[in-house]
């Protein structure tokens, strides 16, 4: 399900792989010009604006049911459409467009919050391991390996069962699981930064460890941190959708795209658009984040990290 | 080499203990197993009796040690819900999951290797661009949504393939594609990068200088060297696919252990969940260990580190 | 009849900055049993020349030649399929990097027999016999048991011997050796060169030896061709070139090597100062002028074609020695 790091490779290799532009980056530039980064950014901004301005954009209340107009068809159908509901309604008559618009809130909220939690955990572990090395590194390595050995999806489902399904629990569970790549990358980059001459000089001058980490190391890792953040954000959004789709995530009647897919499943024969639309939204958002992240990778690398 | 193997095996064993310990505690937090076993109509006395019978009243670490001790002999206890032996339940279903995993990884290789090779032979050609599109879009496509869309198009509209169950080979077609396509971008990128590197190598120049036909140069001399890391990565992806099998098996009602874990979580059937987590984690650990040891064997410098 | 006759061979490579001209109108020929040494520093176009002869240039490179005769037949316009039949068969090549020129995935036996079975006969036993015979010829002991070994089990010197054996598998009439000893230890270098010269004698092949090592040239060359920046600056019989180098570049090169009996102990060796010019775009005049101690304004524009003397000794200097002397006197 999720693309976690690859066993059989050293952490340094994984880190390098995450940060290096893909072999396709040049080609991508040819096809999309330098616009892939821009295109990603624009789509993200658009979805972000949609989420922020949802109350203004959405024609209806996403929670308002209307059993009289259930399963209205979207505008491209010939029968049973309603101008009130351009994208139709779901099984209890809620306006689908409004639910899709509000769904952006959930996905982005999950993406950002998870990224913040996992980013914090991973960065602390990774920087500590990279900066102090030795025993600390050994312990952190063990923690990372243990985390990698856990089947994320299964354990996340179990955790949701244990603590009850809610938005908060999903965010916490994903945040506590998706820090591995942060840790691996931060560890490797901190190690490189630690050996830079001016960092050595700062140590020789007797600067305090927190000062060195914040002032000398951090500026070096921030670019890579952002790149990993985009990868994990996309990852978290996909995982939440999958969890909610199986009923182990956000609970009804919250308009989560994954949950909407779950609810639409039984109507796949007669109203396939109920399935097509939320999935397409997910796809678009994740695609945009990936394009943005790839572009960012090129920029970070050009600056020489 | 031997010392290295022992050290790594010990670490792997330690990881399994931590992972299973965490899962054990987590699942015992989730629900009172006595309640699950007794059912909803049970009286307080009944529940208390069950608690004592199963030993749920004892401290959790004792329960864990007891479970772990038996697990090492392959005894995972009885399912709370079905009353069957967990080992029997898993043994009857693991074949389906393994077949799905193998089929999916073969599918991924069959798509990604030729595409990667042709892309590498003609960088920037149409095929290369197509490969890029597959990679960029493939990574953003949510697996479960892709599966649902396939069901709608191939199963419902065109009626080419059965959409649920595991009675015949045809039932495996869509799950294989849904699970396999997700690995194609990574495998294809590696094939392409490997091929480009190998094609530029000195021994390929030698092969051409020997007047060998382009076919022999490509298939005998280049592909074999480029493919080794791809196969290694594929082995690792096989591990990920087992995790992804939860969603796919649930969607297609394919009764392997992925489906079993979903079913068990719905019923709070803890022994089953714990056993499957341990199996997935062990598979990951074993694959990683094997990959590491093979690497160490190929490159004696690794074990010295 | 020469085995190989090349007239005005040119290689152009389009690059971002324009057209790169790494090899410009060079001509030479090799007879049966003759050794031609092509000498020059890195980047002078000598390796590209060898790849151009073999038809192994990178795809982007454009090759042109007025004449490219192999055994009297034009091979410049030969389709790739026919060219492939010559390569490894009648003409073969030895590369600079023995460590990476063998495929790590196959045994040396496989790689030796492969070329024989491609060009001579599919017969496996015959290929095996030939491989063993040649491995012994190149001085590898217990040849039969070596066939099953992988390249990584052999040292650099051994691998280069295997490469030489591989080049000889199909009794080629011409061998092109591109710096075959550069990557090896000094002691091994001498052995390998000795071996090459010996085998060339024995099998009566034409040998083109590409090198930057004038010591090597002095020992085994019949003819010498000195290249600088894609042009031939001096060529002729080895003796003549060594005894009376005409071009300032050759003179500079020769000052860089100690000659037993001539160079006095403790005397400083020479060096050719400066760097090789950029070969992108339109080029004119003598390319060595910015490093040449005798350069004059005329060197920037005049024609730098070879002028052949009576003994077949040719040089491309625009202001050859007699002129310089005359000027100095005046």
């Amino acid at each position: 399900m999720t693309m976690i790091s690859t066993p059989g490779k050293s952490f340094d290799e994984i880190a390098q792989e995450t940060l290096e532009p893909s072999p396709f980056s040049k080609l991508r530039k040819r096809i999309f010009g330098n616009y892939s980064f821009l295109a990603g950014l624009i789509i993200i901004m658009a979805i972000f604006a949609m989420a922020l301005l949802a109350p203004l954009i959405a024609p209806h209340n996403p929670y308002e049911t209307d059993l009289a107009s259930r399963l209205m068809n979207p505008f491209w159908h010939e029968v049973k459409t309603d101008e009130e509901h351009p994208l139709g309604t779901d099984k209890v008559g809620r306006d689908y467009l409004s639910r899709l618009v509000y769904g952006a809130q959930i996905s982005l909220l999950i993406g950002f919050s998870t990224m913040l939690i996992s980013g914090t955990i991973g960065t602390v572990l990774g920087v500590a391991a990279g900066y102090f090395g030795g025993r600390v590194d050994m312990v952190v390595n063990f923690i990372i390996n243990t985390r990698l050995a856990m089947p994320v999806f299964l354990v996340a489902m179990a955790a949701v069962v244990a603590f009850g399904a809610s938005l908060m629990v999903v965010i916490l569970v994903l945040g506590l699981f998706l820090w591995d790549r942060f840790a691996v990358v931060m560890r490797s980059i901190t190690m490189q930064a630690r050996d830079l001459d001016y960092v050595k000089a700062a140590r020789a001058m007797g600067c305090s460890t927190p000062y060195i980490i914040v002032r000398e190391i951090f500026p070096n890792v921030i670019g890579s941190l952002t790149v990993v953040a985009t990868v994990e954000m996309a990852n978290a959004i996909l995982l939440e959708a999958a969890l909610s789709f199986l009923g182990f995530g956000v609970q009804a009647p919250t308009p989560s795209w994954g949950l909407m897919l779950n609810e639409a499943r039984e109507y796949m024969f007669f109203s396939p658009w109920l399935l097509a639309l939320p999935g397409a939204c997910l796809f678009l958002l994740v695609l945009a984040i990936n394009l943005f992240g790839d572009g960012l990778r090129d920029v970070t690398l050009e600056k020489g990290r | 080499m031997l010392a290295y193997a022992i050290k790594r095996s010990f670490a792997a064993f330690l990881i399994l203990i931590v992972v299973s310990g965490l899962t054990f505690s987590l699942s015992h937090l989730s629900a009172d197993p006595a309640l699950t076993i007794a059912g909803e109509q049970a009286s307080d006395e009944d529940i208390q009796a069950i608690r004592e019978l199963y030993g749920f009243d004892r401290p959790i670490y004792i329960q864990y040690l007891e479970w772990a001790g038996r697990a090492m002999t392959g005894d995972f206890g009885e399912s709370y819900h079905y009353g069957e032996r967990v080992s029997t339940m898993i043994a009857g279903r693991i074949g389906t999951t393994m077949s799905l995993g193998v089929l999916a990884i073969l599918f991924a290789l069959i798509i990604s290797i030729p595409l990667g090779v042709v892309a590498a032979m003609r960088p920037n050609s149409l095929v290369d661009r197509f490969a890029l599109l597959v990679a960029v879009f493939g990574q953003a496509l949510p697996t479960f949504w892709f599966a649902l869309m396939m069901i709608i198009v191939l199963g419902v509209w065109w009626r080419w393939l059965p959409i649920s169950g595991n009675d015949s080979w045809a039932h495996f077609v869509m799950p294989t594609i849904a699970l396999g396509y997700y690995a194609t971008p990574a495998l294809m990128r590696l094939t392409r990068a490997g091929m480009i590197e190998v094609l530029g190598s000195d021994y390929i120049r030698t092969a051409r200088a020997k007047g060998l036909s382009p076919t022999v140069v490509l298939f005998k001399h280049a592909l074999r060297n480029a493919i080794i890391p791809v196969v290694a990565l594929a082995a690792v992806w096989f591990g990920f696919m087992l995790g992804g099998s939860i969603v796919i098996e649930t969607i297609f009602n394919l009764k392997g252990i992925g489906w079993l874990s979903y079913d068990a979580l719905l019923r709070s059937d803890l022994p089953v969940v714990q056993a499957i987590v341990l199996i997935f984690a062990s598979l990951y650990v074993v694959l990683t260990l094997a990959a590491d040891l093979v690497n160490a064997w190929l490159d004696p410098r690794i074990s010295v580190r | 009849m020469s085995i190989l006759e090349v007239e005005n061979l040119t290689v152009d490579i389009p690059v971002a900055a324009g057209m790169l001209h790494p090899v410009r109108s060079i001509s030479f020929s090799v007879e049966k049993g003759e050794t031609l040494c092509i000498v020059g520093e890195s980047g002078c176009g000598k390796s590209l020349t060898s790849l151009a002869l073999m038809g192994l240039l990178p795809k982007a490179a454009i090759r042109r030649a007025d004449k490219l005769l192999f055994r009297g037949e034009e091979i410049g316009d030969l389709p790739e399929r026919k060219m492939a039949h010559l390569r490894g068969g009648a003409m073969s090549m030895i590369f600079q990097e023995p460590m990476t020129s063998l495929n790590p995935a196959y045994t040396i036996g496989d790689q030796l027999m492969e070329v024989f079975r491609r060009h001579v006969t599919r017969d496996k036993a015959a290929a095996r016999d030939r491989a063993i015979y040649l491995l012994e010829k190149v001085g590898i002991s217990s040849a039969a048991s070596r066939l099953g070994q992988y390249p990584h089990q052999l040292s650099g010197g051994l691998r280069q011997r295997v490469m030489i054996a591989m080049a000889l598998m199909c009794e080629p009439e011409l061998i092109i050796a591109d710096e075959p000893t550069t990557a090896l230890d000094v002691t091994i270098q001498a052995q390998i060169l000795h071996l090459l010269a010996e085998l060339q004698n024995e099998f009566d092949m034409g040998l083109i030896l590409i090198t930057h090592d004038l010591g090597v040239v002095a020992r085994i060359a019949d003819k010498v061709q000195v290249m600088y920046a894609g042009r031939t600056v001096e060529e002729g019989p080895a003796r003549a070139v060594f005894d009376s180098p005409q071009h300032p570049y050759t003179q500079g090169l020769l000052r860089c090597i100690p000659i037993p009996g001539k160079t006095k102990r403790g005397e400083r060796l020479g060096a050719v100062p400066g760097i090789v010019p950029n070969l992108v775009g339109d080029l004119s005049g003598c390319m060595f002028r910015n490093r040449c101690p005798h350069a004059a304004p005329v060197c920037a524009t005049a024609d730098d074609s070879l002028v052949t003397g009576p003994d077949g000794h040719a040089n491309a200097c625009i202001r050859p020695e007699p002129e310089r002397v005359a000027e100095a006197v005046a």
Side-chain angles (χ1 to χ4, degrees):
Chain A
M1 206 40 237
T2 62
M3 193 176 138
I4 10 176
S5 315
T6 312
K9 290 192 172 181
S10 75
F11 286 161
D12 293 331
E13 284 173 290
I14 299 169
Q16 208 182 3
E17 231 165 65
T18 315
L19 293 175
E20 253 171 28
S22 66
F24 288 104
S25 68
K26 265 192 192 148
L27 186 58
R28 184 180 339 99
K29 276 182 199 152
R30 272 186 181 228
I31 298 181
F32 304 114
N34 280 318
Y35 298 118
S36 77
F37 174 75
L38 208 61
L41 187 67
I42 288 173
I43 301 175
I44 294 175
M45 294 310 274
I47 297 180
F48 195 73
M50 189 168 94
L52 274 184
L53 305 175
L56 300 177
I57 297 172
H60 293 272
N61 180 341
Y63 297 99
E64 191 184 278
T65 59
D66 177 5
L67 292 178
S69 53
R70 316 169 52 229
L71 294 172
M72 295 301 261
N73 283 330
F75 65 87
W76 60 82
H77 277 247
E78 277 157 19
V79 293
K80 210 190 168 194
T81 55
D82 185 345
E83 277 177 22
E84 282 275 289
H85 306 292
L87 294 183
T89 57
D90 69 4
K91 60 177 177 182
V92 286
R94 291 174 297 203
D95 180 56
Y96 221 52
L97 175 61
S98 308
R99 287 183 72 73
L100 286 173
V101 169
Y102 275 89
Q105 287 185 340
I106 304 294
S107 278
L108 286 174
L109 183 65
I110 299 260
F112 276 113
S113 331
T114 304
M115 180 183 88
L116 284 180
I117 298 172
S118 58
T120 311
I121 300 174
T123 306
V124 168
L125 285 175
V127 169
Y131 188 80
F132 297 109
R135 287 253 166 95
V136 182
D137 189 31
M138 221 171 82
V139 171
V140 171
N141 267 350
F142 182 78
I143 300 178
I144 297 175
N145 274 318
T146 308
R147 152 60 197 84
L148 287 174
M150 293 178 131
V152 188
F153 197 68
L154 188 50
V155 180
M157 279 164 77
V160 170
V161 171
F163 301 109
S166 75
L167 188 59
M168 197 52 135
V169 169
V170 172
I171 289 174
L172 280 175
V173 166
L174 290 181
L176 288 174
F177 274 120
L178 298 183
W179 50 262
D180 53 305
R181 205 189 306 258
F182 282 105
V184 165
V185 171
M186 287 303 109
R187 173 182 171 273
S188 152
I189 295 185
T190 308
M191 272 180 180
Q192 290 165 17
R194 186 183 59 179
D195 292 335
L196 293 174
D197 284 338
Y198 61 85
V199 177
K200 280 188 194 155
R203 276 203 294 204
M205 277 157 55
C207 296
S208 72
T209 302
Y211 177 87
I212 295 175
I213 288 179
V214 172
R215 291 297 303 272
E216 312 288 357
I217 302 269
F218 222 69
N220 278 294
V221 302
I222 199 83
S224 320
L225 192 64
T226 330
V227 171
V228 182
T230 60
V231 176
E232 284 314 329
M233 188 168 159
N235 216 344
I237 289 172
L238 283 177
L239 274 178
E240 179 272 330
L243 282 173
S244 300
F245 171 72
L246 287 187
F248 289 84
V250 178
Q251 294 299 299
T254 316
S256 143
W257 290 337
L259 188 61
M260 288 164 77
L261 286 169
N262 177 357
E263 291 163 350
R265 246 189 106 180
E266 48 189 310
Y267 301 96
M268 70 158 70
F269 300 96
F270 303 109
S271 310
W273 49 270
L274 282 178
L275 276 176
L277 291 174
C281 290
L282 263 175
F283 173 62
L284 195 64
L285 178 56
V286 173
L287 181 69
I289 295 175
N290 284 350
L291 287 177
F292 176 74
D294 280 353
L296 206 61
R297 211 171 303 205
D298 297 344
V299 178
T300 335
L301 223 88
E302 270 162 30
K303 277 201 282 180
R305 285 217 195 105
Chain B
M1 177 74 200
L2 187 67
Y4 176 75
I6 292 172
K7 210 177 96 190
R8 290 283 293 109
S9 310
F10 178 72
F13 184 69
L14 217 58
I15 286 173
L16 285 184
I17 291 182
V18 175
V19 170
S20 61
L22 282 175
T23 328
F24 193 87
S25 332
L26 185 66
S27 48
H28 277 253
L29 280 174
S30 67
D32 189 343
L35 274 175
T36 317
I37 299 169
E40 276 167 25
Q41 270 89 43
S43 67
D44 286 352
E45 291 84 49
D46 290 346
I47 293 171
Q48 191 54 39
I50 285 172
R51 252 181 215 140
E52 278 163 24
L53 180 68
Y54 282 83
F56 295 142
D57 48 350
R58 295 172 303 160
I60 191 155
Y61 66 90
I62 293 189
Q63 294 185 49
Y64 169 71
L65 286 178
E66 200 181 74
W67 174 83
R70 276 188 282 128
M72 279 207 270
T73 66
D75 175 8
F76 295 104
E78 275 175 15
S79 158
Y80 294 161
H81 186 263
Y82 296 100
E84 230 178 308
R85 300 218 60 78
V86 174
S87 45
T88 326
M89 292 170 72
I90 288 175
R93 293 196 165 88
I94 199 162
T96 304
T97 303
M98 290 293 161
S99 318
L100 178 60
V102 170
L103 284 171
I105 205 72
L106 285 181
F107 170 79
L109 287 174
I110 286 170
I111 299 286
S112 52
I113 290 179
L115 212 52
V117 168
V118 180
M121 281 167 60
R122 302 182 191 280
N124 281 334
S125 66
L126 267 178
V127 184
D128 198 19
R129 284 159 195 239
F130 175 70
L132 164 76
L133 279 183
V134 170
V136 170
F137 285 94
Q139 272 175 344
L141 201 56
T143 317
F144 64 99
W145 183 61
F146 180 55
L148 292 169
M149 291 294 109
M150 257 198 301
I151 290 181
I152 291 179
V153 176
L154 300 182
V156 179
W157 290 355
W158 297 346
R159 298 188 178 282
W160 283 359
L161 292 163
I163 58 174
S164 155
N166 48 343
D167 308 321
S168 72
W169 63 268
H171 287 94
F172 279 89
V173 175
M174 280 198 282
T176 298
I177 298 174
L179 194 56
Y181 92 91
Y182 201 66
T184 48
L187 293 174
M188 186 179 61
R189 283 178 170 194
L190 193 65
T191 311
R192 182 179 181 276
M195 266 318 259
I196 284 180
E197 196 190 320
V198 169
L199 285 176
S201 70
D202 290 337
Y203 57 82
I204 292 303
R205 192 182 54 186
T206 306
R208 292 182 59 212
K210 282 155 88 175
L212 302 178
S213 73
T215 329
V216 174
V217 173
L218 183 67
F219 287 100
K220 181 177 173 187
H221 285 274
L223 194 56
R224 167 136 173 206
N225 285 292
I227 216 104
I228 293 169
V230 178
V231 172
L233 182 66
V236 166
W237 264 95
F238 179 72
F240 298 155
M241 297 214 157
L242 296 180
S245 67
I246 300 174
V247 188
I248 295 300
E249 287 180 10
T250 308
I251 291 178
F252 290 98
N253 210 12
L254 203 61
K255 300 207 167 127
I257 58 172
W259 176 86
L260 184 65
S261 62
Y262 168 77
D263 182 69
L265 275 164
L266 281 183
R267 304 176 194 283
S268 297
D269 201 344
L270 303 186
V272 178
V273 177
Q274 283 156 10
I276 293 177
V277 169
L278 190 62
I279 286 174
F280 281 165
S282 311
L283 257 162
Y284 171 90
V285 166
V286 168
L287 282 173
T288 318
L289 187 61
D292 281 356
L293 290 183
V294 168
N295 274 346
W297 175 58
L298 290 176
D299 184 356
R301 283 168 303 175
I302 289 177
S303 41
V304 181
R305 265 200 316 231
Chain C
M1 182 183 69
S2 307
I3 292 179
L4 184 74
E5 198 179 334
V6 178
E7 211 176 288
N8 291 331
L9 174 70
T10 298
V11 177
D12 291 332
I13 302 175
V15 292
M19 191 61 93
L20 178 71
H21 307 287
V23 178
R24 289 173 295 138
S25 296
I26 62 167
S27 307
F28 53 87
S29 67
V30 189
E31 309 294 324
K32 218 169 162 68
E34 187 180 51
T35 302
L36 165 69
C37 281
I38 302 182
V39 195
E41 7 179 23
S42 3
C44 73
K46 54 193 199 299
S47 283
L48 277 174
T49 303
S50 66
L51 291 177
L53 297 180
M54 294 288 287
L56 288 176
L57 286 172
K59 265 182 202 152
I62 304 156
R63 178 184 75 178
R64 272 172 295 138
D66 291 346
K67 255 192 209 168
L68 204 58
L69 301 183
F70 181 67
R71 296 186 297 202
E73 286 165 44
E74 177 63 41
I75 58 167
D77 50 3
L78 226 48
E80 170 60 27
R81 280 182 75 87
K82 292 207 170 142
M83 196 60 212
H85 280 287
L86 284 181
R87 280 204 298 265
M91 60 196 287
S92 59
M93 188 158 177
I94 300 166
F95 293 101
Q96 183 177 354
E97 306 86 2
M99 301 311 279
T100 51
S101 289
L102 288 164
N103 192 327
Y106 296 96
T107 61
I108 60 166
D110 185 302
Q111 295 183 62
L112 281 168
M113 284 150 68
E114 177 182 51
V115 60
F116 188 78
R117 297 179 68 199
R118 157 86 172 160
H119 296 291
V120 183
T121 161
R122 298 293 302 165
D123 184 1
K124 224 173 173 170
R128 197 182 140 83
D129 291 345
R130 175 83 182 157
I132 294 174
Y133 167 74
L134 278 172
L135 282 184
E136 278 165 359
K137 257 301 162 278
V138 299
I140 293 180
S141 54
S142 56
S145 66
R146 295 278 186 188
L147 291 180
Q149 287 191 319
Y150 286 89
H152 72 263
Q153 295 169 292
L154 307 179
S155 69
L158 277 184
R159 285 189 219 184
Q160 197 59 301
R161 284 169 195 266
V162 171
M163 289 300 292
I164 292 172
M166 194 182 290
L168 295 173
M169 280 300 277
C170 306
E171 303 184 42
E173 290 170 57
L174 175 70
I175 287 202
I176 302 171
D178 184 5
E179 308 221 14
T181 59
T182 310
L184 301 174
D185 288 349
V186 184
T187 46
I188 313 283
Q189 286 188 4
Q191 293 171 13
I192 295 281
L193 274 178
H194 206 77
L195 176 72
L196 257 181
E198 213 172 83
L199 290 167
Q200 184 226 359
N201 245 327
E202 185 176 338
F203 296 115
D204 203 25
M205 305 171 293
L207 172 65
I208 299 179
L209 181 67
I210 291 167
T211 181
H212 61 258
D213 185 346
L214 284 169
V216 168
V217 181
R219 263 181 288 172
I220 65 172
D222 296 314
K223 284 199 301 200
V224 178
Q225 169 156 359
V226 182
M227 278 183 78
Y228 182 78
R231 291 286 280 161
T232 307
V233 294
E234 180 158 2
E235 70 176 25
R239 272 268 66 88
V241 174
F242 274 89
D243 288 347
S244 61
Q246 299 293 310
H247 197 278
Y249 178 61
T250 320
Q251 292 167 351
L253 279 184
L254 283 171
R255 269 198 299 276
C256 301
I257 53 162
I259 300 159
K262 271 192 184 173
T263 309
K264 291 194 192 76
R265 199 171 281 275
E267 192 185 1
R268 282 179 69 94
L269 290 172
V272 186
I275 52 159
V276 182
N278 184 356
L279 295 179
V280 174
D282 291 329
L283 308 169
S284 69
C286 173
M287 298 313 291
F288 188 60
R289 61 181 185 270
N290 59 347
R291 298 169 75 182
C292 181
H294 311 297
V298 63
C299 295
T301 49
D303 179 28
D304 66 339
S305 303
L306 286 168
V307 177
T308 313
D311 51 354
H313 185 173
N315 94 86
C317 188
I318 290 161
R319 303 174 67 233
E321 197 118 35
E323 265 179 44
R324 294 200 300 263
V325 173
E327 272 173 36
V329 170

